[in-house]
Amino acid sequence: MIEHAFRGSKRYWSWLLFLGLIILAGFYFYMRQFSYGLGITGMSRNVSWGLYIAQFTFIVGVAASAVMVVLPYYLHDYKAFGKITILGEFLAISSVIMCMLFVFVDLGQPFRVLNIFLYPTFHSLMFWDVVALTGYLVLNVIITRVTLAAERNSIPPPKWIRPIIIISIPWAVSIHTVTAFLFAGLAGRPFWLTAVLAPRFLASAFSAGPALLLLLCLLLRKLTNFDAGEEAIKKLGMIITYAMCVNVFLILMEFFTTFYSHIPEDAAHMQYLYFGLDGKARLVPWMWTSAVLAVVSLAILLVPRARSNHRTLGLACIAVFLSIWIDKGLGLVITGFIPSPFGKVIQYWPTLPETLIALGIWAIGVFFITIFYKMALSIRREIEA
Amino acid sequence: MYDSGKIIAGLVIFIGLFTSPFWYDLASGTALQTPDLVLPTKADQKQCVASLEFMRRDHMALLNDWRTQVVRDGITYYKSANGKEFEMRYTKTCLGCHTNTSQFCDQCHNYIGVTLYCLDCHNMPATQIQGPMAAKILNPNSEILNKLQIQN
Amino acid sequence: MSISRRTLLKLAGITALGVTAEKYATAHAGSTAAKVLSKAVGAGKRLTKSNVQQKVRLAMVVDLRKCVSNQGCTKCIDACNRGHNIPDLGDSKDAIKWIWKEPYESAFVDQENFYMRDEFKNKMVPVFCNNCDNPPCVEVCPTQATFQRPDGIVMMDWHRCIGCRYCMAACPYGSRSFNWRDPRPFIKDINPDYPTRTKGVVEKCTWCDERVDQGLLPLCVEACPEKAMVFGNLNDPNSEVRQLLKDNFSVRRKPGLGTSPEVYYLV
């Protein structure tokens, strides 16, 4: 199976080389962070989580979103997703790897990471998040490996894999729920202390993840002879539309409770995020960009004719992905810390090394997606031939 | 066997690289230095907290155990086999006798290539520290150091 | 690497360790320095979990009426910084703080009041870890590197901390600091009796656990020239802290969050 990853066109190899260079740059700066300490980042005593944990949060969503193709295909026998289910699962695997790396680079004492398992602490959500992510990775590795092998030999997958696939469905929901609980259970951080956080995470995940998958499908159609199928793309577009509507609805819910109740500690965070506080407004332009992108995407998605046109659908997917990336991968985590427990506005912005380390991890993710998709598509081509 | 030439060549290169530290040492002529420990000669402490055999093999586990008991379990004293009691403190008790870490700890640890970082955090009174470890403590002649030393 | 007590006995031929160790802990509590504090604090030594819950719950009372921080006094802060090898990184993003001053309206951020008594309007309040009775930092720590002692002190195990900073996110009081870089170059006088920390671990005030174990008062309490800080056992009705709380009006920081902070400010 893996041998397909070692045979490819010039374009394939130069793409991998390009990613490899970004990974190397990230690795170099990680070594610098390793020797200097996390002080090399923009994080501070007040904003003690930054880009790394924010990226982690966003990408857990992408990983969980595989369930949006797995569930219709395996539970409802929705045949149109037959071709892209494996792509969704490989996207999940790559995403979980990125998640783990983002948590790892955020640790002050990375050599001690196994302490999480040596001293398992059931009252810590961090422990459960690690368990959930590791389990999800194992499940998806088994599923992809077995189903792809069966497909190659033109036999139906063994019976025992079905319960594992069924387990992976609620498991996908759990990884993002537990990640939301990581934030939503902290009494001292009113910005995250909302029961709607987990539903919001799921809604944004189920729009941004499928949006990425759809974009990848469109890209594959352009670059290779792989065609996801018109019906699959249509259905994905529908899923994105519904999830994005729920996501925007839930964000508006946050606005209502925060600003109508007037509780100062709650309102201060939203104030900072969307309007600026004490004359400090670093995230404001980003958040309004996110809001505009969300409106634009809905404007396209909600019109059936625009949604069925691949070009506008692609644009809508880009808008969805970017809007949610800004909202979750930038605003959500950082703003929990601003203002500080003392009511002071101390801002955060990632430094260059920090950004390059994050970029390096993204490149690792894309690297994995590339070789996984290469494998899957090569095997498909082999069968057809 | 297909490609036997390539495989053999590859194996030779691999073994060469794998054993390169040995070749490097042979070529540079650095003789292997066997550990040469200087045992403390403190008048009031003739014996360590446990037997020689035990300390040789398990000192790291003992230190770890002491640490856990002091930090987490609130037990601060240790009674040795011969009934003597010791305060479970690395700097005060252990390094109180083994004052020269470079003639003691480092001898074996350098030999087997294990870098110690105990003194990255644990501090010793300036006069106790001899050898290269001393550089790790800043301002050894500071006022507070000397004052605290007398209290010790 | 850990060695079980049984293995230790077997390997070293130590016979009585398991039985005597705890006895020794308590035995030493009765001796020497512990006596200084044992009356005042009612503690002197950490006791086993079973009996301590009823006996000792350490707490701190800060009398803001006596505190002269507004006149530039920093004695409690200096004593702590020196005794615990706290690097001087100023107010930079890498700053480490165990005890420091905050304006009253920042320390008590949920007590908004424009018409305060004059002397409290710009009052600087010494703030430090509340060693909460229901500490959220302990709840979230994935490795139990931060944990609650039976006497209530919220401890840090710097050998175990993986530096994930979840505790910093959970603390509603901003009491925790992270070593963003090697602190040693920023410590002027190293106190050899106390460790410095390594980069990548979280630290905070632990009410001088190392001194409490010897029956001594925390450094800040000892250093205060106005005797504005009082430390003692909340479970002892005759302790000084209880007497002060009985006779005076006290406030705590963000009690509404349910953390049960154990620093009481007299106003």
Side-chain angles (χ1 to χ4, degrees):
Chain A
M1 214 174 270
I2 189 83
E3 70 274 9
H4 290 290
F6 293 106
R7 288 193 299 250
S9 62
K10 210 167 184 183
R11 197 173 57 184
Y12 171 71
W13 285 109
S14 35
W15 172 241
L16 287 188
L17 184 73
F18 170 70
L19 291 172
L21 288 177
I22 301 179
I23 295 168
L24 269 182
F27 185 73
Y28 168 75
F29 281 102
Y30 180 69
M31 289 325 286
R32 290 227 349 226
Q33 175 184 299
F34 186 80
S35 65
Y36 179 88
L38 278 159
I40 204 167
T41 70
M43 291 185 271
S44 65
R45 195 179 182 283
N46 292 285
V47 185
S48 46
W49 279 343
L51 192 64
Y52 298 151
I53 294 295
Q55 295 309 293
F56 157 78
T57 309
F58 175 76
I59 296 165
V60 174
V62 178
S65 74
V67 77
M68 286 288 105
V69 286
V70 171
L71 189 147
Y73 180 63
Y74 284 107
L75 222 50
H76 300 293
D77 203 22
Y78 183 67
K79 292 279 192 291
F81 279 172
K83 271 179 150 177
I84 57 168
T85 301
I86 196 85
L87 300 187
E89 286 159 347
F90 274 134
L91 182 60
I93 294 176
S94 315
S95 303
V96 175
I97 293 169
M98 284 159 82
C99 289
M100 289 176 159
L101 287 171
F102 270 117
V103 174
F104 186 78
V105 298
D106 192 60
L107 293 183
Q109 286 285 333
F111 281 156
R112 297 181 188 168
V113 64
L114 287 180
N115 279 3
I116 296 176
F117 297 108
L118 287 175
Y119 310 103
T121 308
F122 305 123
H123 50 71
S124 171
L125 265 308
M126 184 82 79
F127 169 75
W128 289 111
D129 213 6
V130 172
V131 170
L133 282 173
T134 315
Y136 192 62
L137 180 65
V138 172
L139 284 176
N140 274 296
V141 168
I142 295 172
I143 293 167
T144 47
R145 163 95 211 157
V146 170
T147 52
L148 205 57
E151 196 173 321
R152 183 162 65 166
N153 300 329
S154 302
I155 49 165
K159 276 220 159 65
W160 58 265
I161 196 72
R162 194 172 157 82
I164 294 179
I165 293 169
I166 303 297
I167 289 170
S168 83
I169 293 170
W171 202 292
V173 178
S174 89
I175 61 167
H176 217 22
T177 307
V178 175
T179 306
F181 285 177
L182 207 64
F183 299 99
L186 305 179
R189 305 285 175 184
F191 184 64
W192 301 327
L193 188 71
T194 158
V196 97
L197 197 70
R200 222 182 112 188
F201 271 22
L202 289 170
S204 56
F206 294 160
S207 39
L212 181 62
L213 188 61
L214 204 156
L215 285 170
L216 288 172
C217 286
L218 295 180
L219 199 69
L220 287 178
R221 178 185 272 188
K222 237 188 194 151
L223 297 177
T224 69
N225 57 356
F226 173 81
D227 186 8
E230 197 51 43
E231 197 188 339
I233 288 184
K234 221 170 182 172
K235 196 55 97 180
L236 268 183
M238 185 92 80
I239 290 171
I240 297 163
T241 311
Y242 275 109
M244 191 61 182
C245 285
V246 176
N247 178 42
V248 171
F249 174 73
L250 290 174
I251 292 175
L252 293 174
M253 294 300 96
E254 296 275 22
F255 267 96
F256 173 76
T257 29
T258 310
F259 288 121
Y260 196 80
S261 68
H262 296 302
I263 301 171
E265 287 103 281
D266 294 15
H269 296 280
M270 282 286 241
Q271 178 91 29
Y272 170 74
L273 192 56
Y274 284 95
F275 308 103
L277 195 63
D278 294 355
K280 288 165 185 161
R282 194 168 283 161
L283 290 176
V284 172
W286 289 88
M287 290 320 288
W288 286 105
T289 308
S290 169
V292 168
L293 285 169
V295 171
V296 167
S297 71
L298 280 183
I300 298 171
L301 289 170
L302 286 172
V303 179
R305 204 151 37 128
R307 196 170 64 223
S308 50
N309 178 326
H310 282 190
R311 181 161 293 182
T312 38
L313 180 63
L315 281 177
C317 284
I318 293 172
V320 165
F321 189 81
L322 287 179
S323 169
I324 291 170
W325 182 82
I326 294 170
D327 181 41
K328 219 169 162 187
L330 202 62
L332 185 114
V333 171
I334 299 163
T335 310
F337 294 98
I338 307 170
S340 77
F342 291 96
K344 289 175 186 162
V345 181
I346 295 144
Q347 300 201 93
Y348 158 87
W349 196 247
T351 58
L352 186 70
E354 190 179 5
T355 314
L356 287 170
I357 291 169
L359 211 62
I361 295 175
W362 270 100
I364 291 174
V366 178
F367 192 93
F368 275 115
I369 292 173
T370 309
I371 59 171
F372 286 154
Y373 280 18
K374 174 79 177 44
M375 270 161 54
L377 298 190
S378 305
I379 287 170
R380 290 261 165 87
R381 207 174 304 151
E382 213 176 62
I383 301 163
E384 279 162 23
Chain B
M1 199 159 76
Y2 300 112
D3 292 333
S4 55
K6 278 183 196 163
I7 291 172
I8 290 166
L11 275 175
V12 167
I13 291 172
F14 171 74
I15 292 169
L17 283 176
F18 197 76
T19 52
S20 60
F22 296 103
W23 306 121
Y24 177 81
D25 266 12
L26 272 183
S28 64
T30 25
L32 185 64
Q33 258 196 342
T34 44
D36 182 20
L37 275 68
V38 178
L39 290 170
T41 51
K42 213 173 174 182
D44 57 334
Q45 294 288 0
K46 294 263 181 275
Q47 273 227 303
C48 197
V49 296
S51 69
L52 177 70
E53 296 74 43
F54 177 79
M55 290 310 282
R56 246 186 212 160
R57 226 174 68 182
D58 291 303
H59 60 282
M60 66 302 266
L62 179 105
L63 280 170
N64 200 40
D65 231 33
W66 277 22
R67 185 203 72 78
T68 307
Q69 288 179 24
V70 171
V71 176
R72 306 188 75 91
D73 305 337
I75 301 163
T76 49
Y77 279 86
Y78 167 89
K79 196 171 179 176
S80 76
N82 60 11
K84 238 179 131 168
E85 62 179 67
F86 296 91
E87 204 180 334
M88 295 196 281
R89 282 181 67 179
Y90 166 66
T91 39
K92 195 174 167 187
T93 306
C94 305
L95 300 187
C97 285
H98 302 285
T99 49
N100 192 327
T101 53
S102 56
Q103 284 177 15
F104 189 70
C105 317
D106 294 349
Q107 286 297 321
C108 296
H109 280 270
N110 288 346
Y111 180 68
I112 56 168
V114 173
T115 313
L116 288 176
Y117 49 87
C118 312
L119 295 186
D120 283 0
C121 291
H122 288 281
N123 303 299
M124 300 161 72
T127 48
Q128 274 190 20
I129 308 170
Q130 290 142 36
M133 285 280 204
K136 289 198 168 182
I137 301 275
L138 305 157
N139 295 347
N141 296 318
S142 73
E143 188 193 335
I144 181 167
L145 259 174
N146 294 327
K147 218 164 74 191
L148 281 154
Q149 231 166 277
I150 297 160
Q151 284 170 1
N152 279 353
Chain C
M1 192 193 298
S2 173
I3 188 167
S4 76
R5 201 162 284 163
R6 182 180 287 273
T7 350
L8 193 67
L9 292 175
K10 211 167 63 197
L11 287 169
I14 303 165
T15 44
L17 177 77
V19 201
T20 50
E22 258 156 67
K23 233 196 284 174
Y24 267 81
T26 23
H28 275 266
S31 70
T32 56
K35 278 180 186 149
V36 182
L37 192 66
S38 55
K39 275 229 174 93
V41 178
K45 207 73 201 175
R46 285 147 71 184
L47 304 165
T48 51
K49 208 156 200 166
S50 55
N51 65 16
V52 82
Q53 246 121 26
Q54 300 88 43
K55 271 189 174 163
V56 182
R57 168 62 249 199
L58 295 172
M60 189 84 85
V61 174
V62 182
D63 193 338
L64 291 181
R65 300 162 305 185
K66 284 185 180 171
C67 176
V68 289
S69 61
N70 277 46
Q71 276 115 67
C73 176
T74 54
K75 288 229 163 69
C76 53
I77 300 168
D78 297 341
C80 178
N81 286 355
R82 232 145 59 114
H84 298 125
N85 295 322
I86 291 165
D88 182 9
L89 288 149
D91 214 11
S92 70
K93 79 177 182 63
D94 298 338
I96 307 261
K97 297 175 184 175
W98 284 27
I99 174 170
W100 72 104
K101 290 187 211 173
E102 286 286 344
Y104 186 90
E105 66 268 21
S106 297
F108 295 90
V109 72
D110 51 351
Q111 303 273 320
E112 200 184 47
N113 186 349
F114 294 118
Y115 305 102
M116 292 264 297
R117 218 163 67 214
D118 270 353
E119 66 247 54
F120 272 87
K121 254 187 191 146
N122 297 306
K123 180 83 184 169
M124 294 306 282
V125 177
V127 291
F128 45 101
C129 175
N130 283 293
N131 286 274
C132 301
D133 209 34
N134 181 21
C137 52
V138 171
E139 193 173 25
V140 301
C141 177
T143 61
Q144 294 148 55
T146 191
F147 60 96
Q148 195 174 29
R149 294 187 359 166
D151 58 8
I153 289 180
V154 176
M155 264 295 272
M156 273 304 301
D157 184 340
W158 290 311
H159 288 91
R160 190 182 285 187
C161 177
I162 59 172
C164 72
R165 308 187 298 292
Y166 198 6
C167 55
M168 293 175 80
C171 178
Y173 306 102
S175 297
R176 290 180 161 264
S177 305
F178 182 71
N179 284 280
W180 298 101
R181 52 192 301 191
D182 181 19
R184 268 212 179 151
F186 302 94
I187 308 169
K188 265 192 219 89
D189 275 339
I190 285 186
N191 170 10
D193 256 0
Y194 201 79
T196 46
R197 269 72 64 195
T198 178
K199 63 171 185 271
V201 298
V202 173
E203 61 182 75
K204 69 170 195 83
C205 155
T206 56
W207 283 351
C208 291
D209 65 279
E210 78 287 359
R211 288 171 62 87
V212 170
D213 280 350
Q214 295 169 51
L216 299 168
L217 288 167
L219 283 168
C220 53
V221 175
E222 212 173 75
C224 181
E226 306 297 319
K227 305 263 171 284
M229 297 175 92
V230 179
F231 184 67
N233 180 9
L234 210 57
N235 285 356
D236 172 9
N238 300 316
S239 66
E240 203 184 344
V241 283
R242 279 288 291 277
Q243 295 302 317
L244 280 169
L245 293 175
K246 200 171 74 184
D247 298 334
N248 298 279
F249 181 72
S250 60
V251 289
R252 295 187 292 169
R253 294 175 60 205
K254 303 184 182 174
L257 299 179
T259 55
S260 189
E262 297 297 347
V263 177
Y264 298 78
Y265 293 92
L266 307 183
V267 289

